[in-house]
Every structure is written in C-alpha cells, then in structure tokens.
C-alpha cells in the first residue's frame, strides 16, 4: 500500500506539472503525461531489473503463477486464490495449479488424522 500511495503522489505531481495537457485516462499506471503505457513497458522494465540483478530470467506473468502456487501451497483455500486471480471458477484454478494439490492433500490427510487420532 505504501508503494501505491507513493506512486499516486508522484502521479499527482506529474498531473500538476502538465496542467491542462495531462490526459486523465483513469488508469493507475500511466506515462508522465497521463497517457496509457504500452503493456510491454512493464515487462521490459521487469526484464531489465532481473538482468541487472543477475537473477534467472522469468517472465513478468510468471509472478502471477508463483503467487498462486505459493498461496495454495501455504494452505490458502482454492476459492480465495481463484477470486484473487480473477478465474471464473474454482475448478479452473484447481486444474491449472494441480501440481500443488499433492502437497495439500498430504497436509489435509495428516491434519485430519491428528484430529481423529491425536498428536
């Protein structure tokens, strides 16, 4: 939230600096003059930062998959992750992230076993 507030403050300063020439696109992430950024700009900036940091290359979109996989592996309910990802159904999320399911199944089985049989 702090990063978004900081971005918003910077955007408001740009808006004041551009005056009537600033374009109110209604978007959160814009160019300095308020016009929309090309979607590849973010991917290119991300790629540059990955290279500069000497990290293995991943696509910006891979962060979405990492978020979903880690959330599911940590026990976040599929329904919650489905809503966060904007999927139309929880079953789609479960199918798409099926590789996480075996660990969750084992965790669920051992949790229920502890409830039934004790520690």
């Amino acid at each position: 939230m702090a990063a978004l507030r900081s971005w918003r403050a910077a955007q408001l300063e740009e808006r004041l600096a551009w005056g009537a020439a600033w374009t109110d696109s209604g978007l959160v992430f814009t160019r300095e003059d308020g016009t929309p950024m090309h979607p590849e700009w973010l991917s290119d900036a991300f790629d540059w930062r990955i290279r500069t940091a000497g990290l293995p290359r991943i696509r910006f979109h891979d962060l979405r998959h990492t978020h979903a996989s880690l959330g599911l592996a940590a026990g976040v309910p599929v329904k919650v992750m489905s809503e966060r990802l904007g999927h139309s159904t929880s079953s789609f999320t479960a199918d798409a992230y099926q590789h996480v399911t075996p660990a969750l199944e084992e965790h669920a089985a051992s949790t229920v076993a502890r409830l039934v049989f004790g520690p």
Side-chain angles (χ1 to χ4, degrees), residues 90-115:
S90 296
S91 61
F92 177 83
T93 306
D95 290 345
Y97 294 95
Q98 194 169 358
H99 62 281
V100 180
T101 306
L104 294 176
E105 290 294 336
E106 185 177 325
H107 175 71
S110 62
T111 300
V112 172
R114 279 194 307 278
L115 289 172

Side-chain angles (χ1 to χ4, degrees), residues 53-89:
L55 297 170
R57 187 187 185 288
I58 63 169
R59 297 171 304 144
F60 184 74
H61 188 74
D62 294 334
L63 295 175
R64 175 182 170 84
H65 297 296
T66 300
H67 170 72
S69 295
L70 291 175
L72 291 168
V76 174
V78 173
K79 176 70 174 162
V80 173
M81 288 309 302
S82 180
E83 290 174 4
R84 289 181 63 86
L85 296 168
H87 292 163
S88 58
T89 65

Side-chain angles (χ1 to χ4, degrees), residues 13-43:
E13 287 178 17
E14 290 168 349
R15 184 178 193 149
L16 288 173
W18 280 80
W22 197 82
T23 301
D24 189 357
S25 64
L27 299 172
V28 173
F29 297 102
T30 62
R31 293 178 183 208
E32 184 178 289
D33 65 353
T35 58
M37 291 180 183
H38 191 280
E40 287 185 23
W41 178 87
L42 186 58
S43 293

